[in-house]
């Protein structure tokens, strides 16, 4: 066995993780200035969190939910807040076979499960990972991230059989490629070579679950309250007011608790950008994400420094594909809308910051012979973007005329509703798009604003026309973005199904030559632009600000939007 055989490969990829930010844990550039000292509660910080509607680890999908997850559970490994590299977590060590197909993880002894009162209820063992991953692969749970479990040998075959796929041979869950050799030894066998496997097992949906507790509270209740969860990480949850706030407190049983200074993290939901900014100014918030360009300029005029990083988030409109009764199912209409959008105007009007008009879908991923994968995509397209930064009225009219002929409608008969989740910027964003479609194509689009929970449910059922959403990479490889749009991916909420696209992804899974593999991903990007199940709009540059209470130790980095575990506070 060769210990940590892929770390050198990962190290080369980690170069990209520093784009837009220094690759070290943050030191507050405003510490000691006396402008915004932060919240008054001793030993605690209060953090803005856009959503917290799902806390069942294998059912989560939103980045802020993942951020809470990494503070209350330990996956096998994690990303360092110092330099974003893979470091031990629940597994204190690991090794792989020479071909990278088999892995052995050695679970840290002495780790404990605690309940919402901080009481020890059991030991963390290899069995907890086996049980959790079986739940991830259980079709009854309908986990949107079940694809993360598909990397193991026989996992797809098991899932097909368990899902009742016609003709699927019988495969038992015990045949899937992970098992507990003993309480502290976990063995994994992969279906295909996966050089970034450690980035898979650090991802939050791969968190362990304590089976005795799960069975005690019941599958339907698990994860619905602090009392129906148990915890293995640096903090545990004591309060959860749905769509409002979550409170997590320090877990003294955690293996590295001696190095955790924070006693509490309060996660509070805000949907109004002005309200959360006022809360920061008034000492009610210590960390505010995604401040507007106007707010940034206001702070800078006062001499207060605003921080920024690029997390790799791409924002776009999902477009329902599988309901022929919806006008948006027409490919030429989607293309007309894409060409009609003035992406730069949307950025200048709504965000007023350094957000970029999306030239392709993927952002924040390393290239093979270029710094970023997106550079390789544009180079393969003759240096031109796949999506225009400004409107192209000639192209928009060309595709719109085709769409009208195919639909047998006039412009005023086109029916489109722009669905969005509650947030002042989201609503303004929809209004600007609505006006652009009215002016350029004569489409009178409607706007529907829902809570994040309602929007998630509607999106998952494909019950919408166009839904404004976004995606950030879970690991540093184009697969993290591009396998989203395969037919069976649980995060493909468009109904898009293309045999050609699926084939490209399947080829990429087994292609070991990095240049040839990247070319397959480039073809995926081109096919997305042709079929257009999504309409990319912008890449997010994330401006945020921290109160002077947070001195250093916290991290805002790609693949770990919030890592506040080792935050140091002002005296």
């Amino acid at each position: 066995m060769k210990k940590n055989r892929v770390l050198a490969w990962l190290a080369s990829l980690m170069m990209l993780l520093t784009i837009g930010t220094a690759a070290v844990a943050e030191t507050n550039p405003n510490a000691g200035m006396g402008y915004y000292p932060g919240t008054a509660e001793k030993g605690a910080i209060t953090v803005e969190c856009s959503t917290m509607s799902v806390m069942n680890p294998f059912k989560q999908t939103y980045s802020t939910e993942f951020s809470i997850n990494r503070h209350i559970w330990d996956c096998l490994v994690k990303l360092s807040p110092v330099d974003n590299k893979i470091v031990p977590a629940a597994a204190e060590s690991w090794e792989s076979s020479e071909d990278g197909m088999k892995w052995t993880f050695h679970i840290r002894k002495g780790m404990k499960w605690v309940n919402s009162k901080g009481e020890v209820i059991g030991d963390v063992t290899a069995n907890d990972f086996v049980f959790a991953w079986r739940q991830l692969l259980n079709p009854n749970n309908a986990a949107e991230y079940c694809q993360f479990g598909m990397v193991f040998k026989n996992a797809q075959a098991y899932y097909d059989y368990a899902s009742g796929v016609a003709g699927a041979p019988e495969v038992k869950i015990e045949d899937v490629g992970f098992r507990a050799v003993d309480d502290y030894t976990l063995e994994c066998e992969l279906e295909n070579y996966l050089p970034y496997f450690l980035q898979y097992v650090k991802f939050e949906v791969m968190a362990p679950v304590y089976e005795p507790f799960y069975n005690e509270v019941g599958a339907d209740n698990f994860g619905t309250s602090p009392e129906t969860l148990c915890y293995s990480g640096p903090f545990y949850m004591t309060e959860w007011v749905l769509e409002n706030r979550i409170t997590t407190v320090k877990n003294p049983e955690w293996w590295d608790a001696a190095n955790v200074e924070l006693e509490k993290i309060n996660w509070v939901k805000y949907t109004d950008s002005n309200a959360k900014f006022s809360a920061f100014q008034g000492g009610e918030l210590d960390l505010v994400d995604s401040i507007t360009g106007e707010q940034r300029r206001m702070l800078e005029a006062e001499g207060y420094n605003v921080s920024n990083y690029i997390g790799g988030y791409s924002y776009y409109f999902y477009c329902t594909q599988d309901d022929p009764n919806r006008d948006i199912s027409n490919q030429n209409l989607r293309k007309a809308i894409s060409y009609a959008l003035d992406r730069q105007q949307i950025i200048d009007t709504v965000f007023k910051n350094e957000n970029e008009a999306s030239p392709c879908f993927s952002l924040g991923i390393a290239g093979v012979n270029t710094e970023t994968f997106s550079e390789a995509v544009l180079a393969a397209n003759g240096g031109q973007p796949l999506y225009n930064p400004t409107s192209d009225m000639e192209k928009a009219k060309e595709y719109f005329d085709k769409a009208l002929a195919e639909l047998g409608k006039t412009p005023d008969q086109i029916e489109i509703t722009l669905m969005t989740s509650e947030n002042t910027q989201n609503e303004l964003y929809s209004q600007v798009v609505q006006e652009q479609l009215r002016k350029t194509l004569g489409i009178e689009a409607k706007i529907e604003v829902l809570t994040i929970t309602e929007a998630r449910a509607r999106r998952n059922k494909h019950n919408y026309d166009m839904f404004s959403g976004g995606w950030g990479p879970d690991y540093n490889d184009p697969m993290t973005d591009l396998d989203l749009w395969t037919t069976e991916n649980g995060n493909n909420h468009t109904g898009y199904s293309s045999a050609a696209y699926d084939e490209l992804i399947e080829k990429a899974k087994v292609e070991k030559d990095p240049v040839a593999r990247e070319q397959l991903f480039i073809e995926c990007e081109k096919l997305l632009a042709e079929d257009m199940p999504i309409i990319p709009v912008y890449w997010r540059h994330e401006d945020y600000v921290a109160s002077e209470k947070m001195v250093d130790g916290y991290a805002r980095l790609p693949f770990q939007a919030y890592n506040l575990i080792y935050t140091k506070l002002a005296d």
Side-chain angles (χ1 to χ4, degrees):
M1 303 288 277
K2 186 174 180 180
K3 190 176 179 72
N4 302 354
R5 71 180 302 277
V6 300
L7 286 184
W9 183 91
L10 285 172
S12 65
L13 280 182
M14 288 300 168
M15 290 177 63
L16 186 74
L17 308 194
T18 66
I19 288 181
T21 181
V24 295
E26 190 76 23
T27 296
N28 195 329
N30 303 296
M33 291 178 63
Y35 285 73
Y36 297 104
T39 54
E41 186 177 8
K42 186 175 177 60
I45 57 173
T46 300
V47 179
E48 179 229 337
C49 183
S50 62
T51 179
M52 52 187 72
S53 57
V54 176
M55 281 293 112
N56 180 328
F58 49 82
K59 291 188 177 183
Q60 291 179 320
T61 59
Y62 280 87
S63 64
T64 47
E65 293 169 350
F66 293 146
S67 287
I68 298 174
N69 179 318
R70 75 176 58 95
H71 288 78
I72 56 180
W73 294 294
D74 258 359
C75 290
L76 290 173
V77 298
K78 61 183 177 180
L79 294 178
S80 166
V82 176
D83 55 16
N84 228 11
K85 292 181 179 179
I86 294 287
V87 294
E92 60 183 356
S93 64
W94 55 89
E95 61 265 357
S96 75
S97 60
E98 288 291 338
D99 61 3
M101 296 297 288
K102 294 182 179 180
W103 291 76
T104 302
F105 293 90
H106 303 284
I107 306 302
R108 190 184 301 274
K109 294 181 180 179
M111 290 184 65
K112 303 295 182 181
W113 286 104
V114 301
N115 61 19
S116 61
K117 296 179 181 179
E119 300 166 336
V120 174
I121 59 173
D123 295 323
V124 177
T125 69
N127 301 292
D128 302 324
F129 290 92
V130 171
F131 180 74
W133 296 351
R134 288 180 175 180
Q135 297 312 306
L136 184 67
L137 287 169
N138 185 343
N140 294 329
N141 287 323
E144 294 173 56
Y145 267 98
C146 65
Q147 292 297 126
F148 266 69
M150 300 300 184
V151 301
F152 298 108
K153 188 175 180 62
N154 296 326
Q156 183 67 63
Y158 161 74
Y159 193 84
D160 290 345
Y161 173 73
S163 300
V165 173
E170 180 178 359
V171 178
K172 298 178 181 178
I173 189 63
E174 291 81 10
D175 298 325
V176 177
F178 50 82
R179 69 188 185 98
V181 177
D182 55 44
D183 282 350
Y184 298 101
T185 308
L186 177 68
E187 285 187 353
C188 301
E189 185 173 2
L190 305 184
E191 184 72 29
N192 297 302
Y193 176 61
L194 200 68
Y196 46 88
F197 178 61
L198 289 177
Q199 291 198 55
Y200 253 68
V201 294
K202 72 84 188 167
F203 190 56
E204 285 70 30
V205 298
M206 305 296 277
V209 174
Y210 187 41
E211 184 176 6
F213 183 88
Y214 183 91
N215 292 334
E216 179 183 340
V217 301
D220 292 338
N221 290 326
F222 180 75
T224 59
S225 69
E227 294 75 27
T228 57
L229 284 168
C230 58
Y231 313 91
S232 64
F235 296 84
Y236 61 90
M237 191 191 307
T238 60
E239 179 189 34
W240 179 13
V241 180
L242 192 65
E243 304 290 1
N244 187 299
R245 66 183 181 274
I246 279 177
T247 301
T248 57
V249 301
K250 180 179 176 179
N251 177 12
E253 301 295 335
W254 188 52
W255 60 271
D256 198 30
N259 291 311
V260 176
E261 180 176 312
L262 279 179
E263 293 296 331
K264 181 191 292 187
I265 305 175
N266 303 299
W267 310 81
V268 182
K269 177 179 176 180
Y270 283 86
T271 59
D272 185 286
S273 60
N274 292 321
K276 69 182 180 182
F277 187 65
S278 295
F280 174 76
Q281 291 177 306
E284 299 171 21
L285 270 176
D286 292 297
L287 184 60
V288 179
D289 201 20
S290 300
I291 65 171
T292 68
E294 292 174 335
Q295 292 165 351
R296 183 186 68 185
R297 285 186 283 276
M298 185 185 305
L299 289 170
E300 289 174 341
E302 297 175 347
Y304 204 74
N305 299 291
V306 174
S307 298
N308 174 277
Y309 83 109
I310 299 175
Y313 286 87
S314 179
Y315 283 78
Y316 49 88
F317 281 101
Y318 295 86
C319 299
T320 296
Q321 307 287 289
D322 51 1
D323 184 352
N325 295 316
R326 294 181 184 270
D327 291 340
I328 199 63
S329 66
N330 183 277
Q331 179 183 10
N332 285 316
L333 178 58
R334 298 193 299 273
K335 287 188 174 184
I337 291 172
S338 181
Y339 279 112
L341 291 181
D342 188 326
R343 293 168 170 80
Q344 191 58 52
Q345 184 191 53
I346 292 170
I347 293 168
D348 294 342
T349 304
V350 179
F351 306 104
K352 302 178 181 178
N353 60 10
E354 278 68 54
N355 286 348
E356 296 178 66
S358 300
C360 63
F361 170 56
S362 298
L363 169 66
I365 300 301
V368 176
N369 294 315
T370 54
E371 184 177 15
T372 66
F373 169 65
S374 57
E375 290 176 74
V377 174
L378 268 61
N381 196 46
Q384 297 301 309
L386 296 179
Y387 309 96
N388 289 350
T390 56
S391 60
D392 183 332
M393 290 310 302
E394 184 177 339
K395 285 284 190 180
K397 186 178 186 308
E398 174 189 341
Y399 285 109
F400 195 44
D401 288 345
K402 290 179 181 179
L404 294 175
E406 291 166 352
L407 294 168
K409 291 187 174 184
T410 57
D412 61 301
Q413 293 175 320
I414 296 295
E415 296 181 358
I416 290 178
T417 298
L418 306 175
M419 187 175 81
T420 190
S421 55
E422 55 182 349
N423 179 284
T424 50
Q425 281 198 334
N426 289 349
E427 293 175 39
L428 178 58
Y429 176 25
S430 297
Q431 291 164 7
V432 172
V433 171
Q434 179 188 50
E435 183 61 20
Q436 287 186 357
L437 296 183
R438 177 185 294 120
K439 286 185 175 180
T440 57
L441 299 177
I443 295 174
E444 294 294 334
K446 299 176 183 177
I447 295 175
E448 187 173 19
V449 181
L450 304 174
T451 67
I452 290 178
T453 300
E454 292 170 328
R456 188 203 307 249
R458 287 271 300 277
R459 178 202 64 184
N460 291 2
K461 292 179 179 178
H462 306 179
N463 184 14
Y464 66 90
D465 293 323
M466 294 173 62
F467 172 53
S468 57
W471 180 263
D474 299 321
Y475 52 92
N476 194 11
D477 187 87
M479 188 69 81
T480 188
D481 290 332
L482 295 174
D483 75 345
L484 283 177
W485 312 116
T486 55
T487 301
E488 301 299 329
N489 192 290
N491 283 300
N492 179 358
H493 303 298
T494 66
Y496 175 61
S497 179
S498 164
Y501 193 92
D502 292 350
E503 183 179 2
L504 287 169
I505 292 296
E506 288 305 310
K507 286 182 178 179
K509 288 180 180 178
V510 297
E511 179 58 67
K512 292 187 177 180
D513 178 77
V515 175
R517 185 171 180 271
E518 183 175 73
Q519 184 58 44
L520 291 168
F521 288 131
I522 290 171
E523 293 304 314
C524 286
E525 284 272 9
K526 290 181 177 180
L527 192 53
L528 280 181
E530 174 62 26
D531 293 347
M532 205 160 282
I534 58 171
I535 301 176
V537 180
Y538 68 94
W539 287 345
R540 187 171 78 180
H541 289 226
E542 304 183 53
D543 288 332
Y544 69 96
V545 63
S547 77
E548 294 162 58
K549 185 177 186 179
M550 298 173 62
V551 176
D552 59 32
Y554 58 94
R556 304 300 313 280
L557 294 167
F559 316 114
Q560 48 174 345
Y562 288 130
N563 187 335
L564 309 173
I565 297 168
Y566 296 106
T567 300
K568 303 298 182 185
L569 302 180
D571 295 332

